[in-house]
Amino acid sequence: SFVLANNLDASTASQWNAGAGCAPIGSSANPFTGSFDGQNFVISNFSIQRGGQDNIGLFGYSNAASFANLGLDNVSLLGTANVGALLGRGDGNTSIDNVWSSGTVTSDSTATTKLGVGGLVGNLTGAVADSHSTAKVDGYIAVGGLVGNMTDGAGVLISNSWASGDVHATYGYAGGLVGRSYARITDSYA
C-alpha cells in the first residue's frame, strides 16, 4: 500500500529525462499491483511526453490495483496507446474511486490497433466510481473524456462519474465519457 502524504507540485517534471518528463509507474512487464491512496491530496503540473510509447500516465500499467482519493491538476501527457492522466492501462479489475484530473491528454497514434486515450484512464478492465475529468483529450481511436476504452468482464462499471473536457478522435470511437465501452454505466454523464 502506498499513500500520498501531501500536495505535490511537479512543475519541473517537464525537464526530467531529457524532456520526456515523469517515468510512468508500472509497465506491461512489471505492472503496479498494489493500492494507492492520495488521501485527497493533489499532484499538479506533471508532464509525460513519450510519443511513440504505450502505457502512459502517472501509472503506466496496473493489474488488480486500486487507486483512490487523488487529484491530478494541469497534467500534460503525450503517448501512443493506453494514455490517461492517472493510468495508461488497468487490467485485472483495477478499481478507481474518487480520482479527478484536468489538463491535456494526447495520443500520437495513427493505427487502429493503437487505441485508448482518456482524461483519466486510457484502457481499463475494472471499475471507476465517484471520479471526474475536465481534461482536453485528443487521439486517433477510442478517445473518451474519462476513459478511452473499457473492455468487458465481471465488475466492469462506471458509476457516479462525469467528464466535461473537449474530446477529439481522428479515426473514430469518441465519447464525452467513454470512447469505446463494453461496461455498465450508471449515474454518470458528460
Side-chain angles (χ1 to χ4, degrees):
S1 292
F2 299 88
V3 296
L4 186 62
N6 53 18
N7 292 323
L8 177 63
D9 184 348
S11 295
T12 60
S14 63
Q15 301 164 18
W16 301 348
N17 297 309
C22 303
I25 300 166
S27 64
S28 57
N30 188 22
F32 179 78
T33 57
S35 65
F36 182 88
D37 187 343
Q39 299 190 111
N40 294 309
F41 290 115
V42 177
I43 299 173
S44 58
N45 306 311
F46 79 87
S47 174
I48 302 175
Q49 304 298 311
R50 295 174 185 262
Q53 296 182 30
D54 299 342
N55 307 319
I56 301 299
L58 179 62
F59 291 84
Y61 200 111
S62 72
N63 191 351
S66 64
F67 304 93
N69 309 316
L70 178 64
L72 301 168
D73 186 40
N74 193 33
V75 304
S76 175
L77 274 74
L78 171 66
T80 301
N82 307 326
V83 185
L86 172 68
L87 178 61
R89 179 170 176 164
D91 288 343
N93 287 322
T94 288
S95 67
I96 297 164
D97 184 35
N98 189 33
V99 179
W100 62 268
S101 68
S102 69
T104 60
V105 180
T106 306
S107 166
D108 63 0
S109 173
T110 57
T112 57
T113 56
K114 294 287 190 173
L115 55 88
V117 56
L120 196 62
V121 182
N123 198 328
L124 181 65
T125 302
V128 179
D130 301 309
S131 298
H132 70 271
S133 179
T134 61
K136 178 182 177 185
V137 187
D138 192 7
Y140 189 67
I141 184 170
V143 181
L146 190 70
V147 180
N149 186 61
M150 285 194 81
T151 58
D152 58 355
V156 177
L157 170 70
I158 295 177
S159 62
N160 301 314
S161 298
W162 58 271
S164 64
D166 291 339
V167 175
H168 176 259
T170 306
Y171 182 83
Y173 296 115
L177 190 68
V178 184
R180 187 174 80 164
S181 177
Y182 298 94
R184 278 188 316 122
I185 299 173
T186 62
D187 300 317
S188 300
Y189 65 92

